[in-house]
Amino acid sequence: MAKSRAEIEADVKDVLVDALGVDEDDVVPTATLKGDLGAESIDYLDIVFRLEKKFSTPEKPFKIAQGELFPENLMTDPSLVENGKVTAKGIALLKEKVPHVSLGDFESDPQVTKLSGLFTVKSLCDFVERKLG
Amino acid sequence: MLVGLLVLVGLLVLVGLLVLVGLLVLVGLLVLVGLLVLGGRVVLGWLWCYNARMRWMWIDKVVTFEPRKRLVAVKCVSLAEEHLHQHFGPQVLASGGVLPACPVMPSSLILEGMAQTAGILVGSVHDFREKVVLAKVVSATFERDVQPGEVIRYDATLERMDDMGASTVGVVERFSFVDGAWAPVGRIELMFSHLDQNRAGTEFPEENFVFGENFRTLLEGAGLRKAGVGG
């Protein structure tokens, strides 16, 4: 039986509380993983492993391919980033590879340092919901 | 007569000068030898420290290895270990009494032992080509101290792994010859990163400094690496 949005949000909250050691009340949809919840580099891998474990069932494993949830190393490609800003090609690739992330104002000022601020609790829930179908 | 006196004085001055020069040479030599000995001790001290750093080994032997799945290692805790003389905890005696300050193995070093056990398990998956580093202590709980004369068993299981890193779950137990039984010490969950696959794209030296010379004997003894094979 498919999980409801509320169930997905509760499970994602559990994952973030365990992975980041944050308080449940801090895990709100708009909270960013890095800025608000203090996620560091290795935490992203921890989150991926925990999401896989949380949403896998014996009938249907929940496998997340490298770069599917977070665009690891995507932004180190010189054709995608110029002078610290994501190029038009990079923006197009982000839309294609990470559709669960809402770019919002990022397109008007695409500084690569702001990219991590786009990953919110909501974007994680959107990713899981889309992937579970 | 006068000439004789002058010759005598001249000889005395000459002998005096020779003695003075001799003394200066002797003192100089003694200073030189002293410096060499002192310098040698300093150099030897540096070498000893370097060796000590290279022997940062907190497991004695790998006793079970199931490729890509599980690795078990043991460590015998000895009172000869320096750190035990600076770390104390209470000990409950069989009589019911309590000794307030007995040497106990620090939990941080038990954690290091588990990190080495689990790190070898993770490294073995890619035949020790990856630079496997401890990236995160997800959780570490301890319920019992370990004392000199006891044996620690680290039982590490590989839970999940991909190109970027791995997660492991480990159980720590200790064997007491007084009780004649194994007892739980703690549980440790760790995350390892493959250093060359880091998100920032930072480059590191080609040489695998993680599984270097210090690990080789241990790995060879466990049959995880052929003797004489480099890397």
Side-chain angles (χ1 to χ4, degrees):
Chain A
M1 190 179 152
K3 289 199 174 197
S4 67
R5 176 73 185 195
E7 287 173 321
I8 290 172
E9 285 176 356
D11 285 349
V12 167
K13 182 179 276 194
D14 285 347
V15 163
L16 293 175
V17 166
D18 290 343
L20 305 176
V22 290
D23 198 86
E24 258 190 51
D25 296 338
D26 294 332
V27 187
V28 293
T30 53
T32 59
L33 300 187
K34 187 179 179 185
D36 296 327
L37 302 180
E40 294 179 13
S41 175
I42 192 66
D43 293 325
Y44 291 93
L45 187 61
D46 194 8
I47 291 167
V48 166
F49 286 177
R50 285 175 187 274
L51 286 174
E52 287 184 338
K53 197 173 176 183
K54 195 79 170 178
F55 292 100
S56 281
T57 60
E59 302 79 36
K60 195 177 179 186
F62 189 81
K63 298 288 284 182
I64 303 171
Q66 193 171 338
E68 189 182 350
L69 175 55
F70 304 112
E72 285 112 356
N73 299 341
L74 199 70
M75 293 298 117
T76 56
D77 184 335
S79 74
L80 305 177
V81 179
E82 269 180 16
N83 300 322
K85 291 196 172 187
V86 181
T87 62
K89 186 183 169 188
I91 296 282
L93 199 67
L94 279 176
K95 286 179 179 173
E96 180 197 335
K97 298 278 186 190
V98 284
H100 46 281
V101 170
S102 171
L103 294 182
D105 296 335
F106 182 74
E107 283 191 74
S108 58
D109 184 21
Q111 290 182 48
V112 74
T113 51
K114 290 185 177 177
L115 193 61
S116 59
L118 300 177
F119 288 90
T120 60
V121 174
K122 179 182 177 298
S123 62
L124 249 62
C125 295
D126 289 347
F127 169 81
V128 173
E129 190 175 37
R130 185 178 282 117
K131 197 169 168 64
L132 287 174
Chain B
M1 181 72 179
L2 186 62
V3 173
L5 270 173
L6 283 173
V7 169
L8 188 62
V9 169
L11 279 171
L12 283 172
V13 168
L14 190 62
V15 168
L17 278 172
L18 282 171
V19 168
L20 191 63
V21 169
L23 279 172
L24 282 173
V25 169
L26 189 65
V27 169
L29 278 171
L30 284 172
V31 169
L32 191 64
V33 169
L35 282 174
L36 281 173
V37 169
L38 187 66
R41 284 177 67 87
V42 170
V43 170
L44 280 174
W46 287 340
L47 286 173
W48 186 87
C49 287
Y50 180 71
N51 268 331
R53 271 206 306 274
M54 294 306 289
R55 289 179 191 146
W56 184 250
M57 303 299 299
W58 293 98
I59 53 177
D60 292 338
K61 194 168 183 63
V62 174
V63 293
T64 303
F65 175 54
E66 299 171 39
R68 305 181 74 94
K69 193 176 174 188
R70 178 171 169 250
L71 192 134
V72 183
V74 291
K75 172 183 169 48
C76 303
V77 181
S78 166
L79 198 54
E81 294 169 46
E82 291 283 334
H83 65 92
L84 287 173
H85 299 273
Q86 296 169 9
H87 192 264
F88 304 94
Q91 183 187 356
V92 180
L93 301 172
S95 61
V98 177
L99 290 177
C102 291
V104 294
M105 177 92 172
S107 301
S108 53
L109 292 177
I110 294 177
L111 198 150
E112 174 64 24
M114 177 56 80
Q116 293 187 358
T117 305
I120 290 173
L121 174 62
V122 174
S124 68
V125 173
H126 293 298
D127 199 24
F128 305 104
R129 288 190 299 274
E130 292 281 1
K131 301 178 187 83
V132 177
V133 293
L134 176 63
K136 181 176 176 178
V137 178
V138 180
S139 70
T141 52
F142 298 93
E143 58 184 280
R144 178 179 273 105
D145 281 332
V146 179
Q147 294 165 349
E150 297 181 339
V151 178
I152 304 178
R153 181 164 64 194
Y154 298 106
D155 193 331
T157 304
L158 184 60
E159 199 170 54
R160 178 72 173 84
M161 184 169 185
D162 73 4
D163 289 346
M164 296 186 73
S167 65
T168 62
V169 175
V171 173
V172 186
E173 295 170 302
R174 70 104 174 94
F175 184 82
S176 163
F177 289 91
V178 177
D179 303 340
W182 289 95
V185 170
R187 189 175 189 278
I188 301 170
E189 291 182 48
L190 302 172
M191 291 226 40
F192 292 88
S193 178
H194 289 150
L195 212 52
D196 293 327
Q197 315 290 336
N198 66 91
R199 289 169 65 87
T202 309
E203 291 186 11
F204 291 89
E206 202 171 311
E207 180 202 350
N208 195 334
F209 47 83
V210 179
F211 298 110
E213 186 70 37
N214 49 344
F215 269 99
R216 196 161 298 164
T217 309
L218 191 73
L219 299 178
E220 286 166 1
L224 292 168
R225 177 167 226 128
K226 288 176 187 169
V229 175

